[in-house]
Amino acid sequence: EVHVVESGGGLVQAGGSLRLSCVASGLTFDDYAFTWFRQAPGKEREGVSCISSADGTIRYGDSVKGRFTMTSDNAKNTVFLQMNSLKPEDTAVYYCAADSICPPKSVISIYNYDYRGQGTQVTVSS
């Protein structure tokens, strides 16, 4: 059985940092691309970052470029999202998902990932 579990969310002041973790079990980690996406109440799902299983390249959403960094520790079946210079508009539930590909940005809002976690809440106060 596959499990994808996020952790590390919390409440932080604007300008602060958080590090999210996502542990995936029950799958062959190296075969999957991993995506971080977020969803705020009343807003469309937004892609944050994605690491490709094919070549390890990482793609970031425009709103987080230069502030967020995604990394992967394949030995621990874990991906991370280091979030710096947080803004109130970063407030959302952050999800980790596994799939064979990094989906195109045009379909991220509706994409049905093979596996996804339950999410972790990130709240940034002004």
Side-chain angles (χ1 to χ4, degrees):
E1 185 177 0
V2 175
H3 293 280
V4 177
V5 181
E6 307 95 336
S7 62
L11 173 64
V12 65
Q13 288 189 331
S17 298
L18 282 174
R19 188 192 197 207
L20 306 185
S21 299
C22 169
V23 181
S25 60
L27 50 72
T28 303
F29 190 85
D30 292 354
D31 289 345
Y32 285 84
F34 285 86
T35 294
W36 286 101
F37 65 87
R38 65 188 183 186
Q39 189 152 25
K43 293 189 177 181
E44 201 170 68
R45 182 195 296 176
E46 179 186 7
V48 175
S49 62
C50 187
I51 184 166
S52 168
S53 60
D55 56 12
T57 56
I58 304 173
R59 185 182 75 201
Y60 294 96
D62 291 339
S63 63
V64 306
K65 281 180 183 176
R67 299 188 298 122
F68 290 13
T69 303
M70 184 177 186
T71 57
S72 176
D73 185 340
N74 289 26
K76 296 183 178 180
N77 283 16
T78 304
V79 294
F80 303 95
L81 185 68
Q82 178 67 43
M83 306 186 296
N84 298 330
S85 302
L86 283 161
K87 304 175 182 180
E89 51 264 44
D90 294 317
T91 295
V93 178
Y94 283 70
Y95 297 89
C96 176
D99 200 272
S100 59
I101 62 168
C102 287
K105 289 184 179 181
S106 59
V107 301
I108 283 178
S109 63
I110 59 171
Y111 194 77
N112 187 23
Y113 294 92
D114 288 345
Y115 306 105
R116 55 179 278 183
Q118 293 298 308
T120 185
Q121 176 71 46
V122 171
T123 303
V124 184
S125 63
S126 57

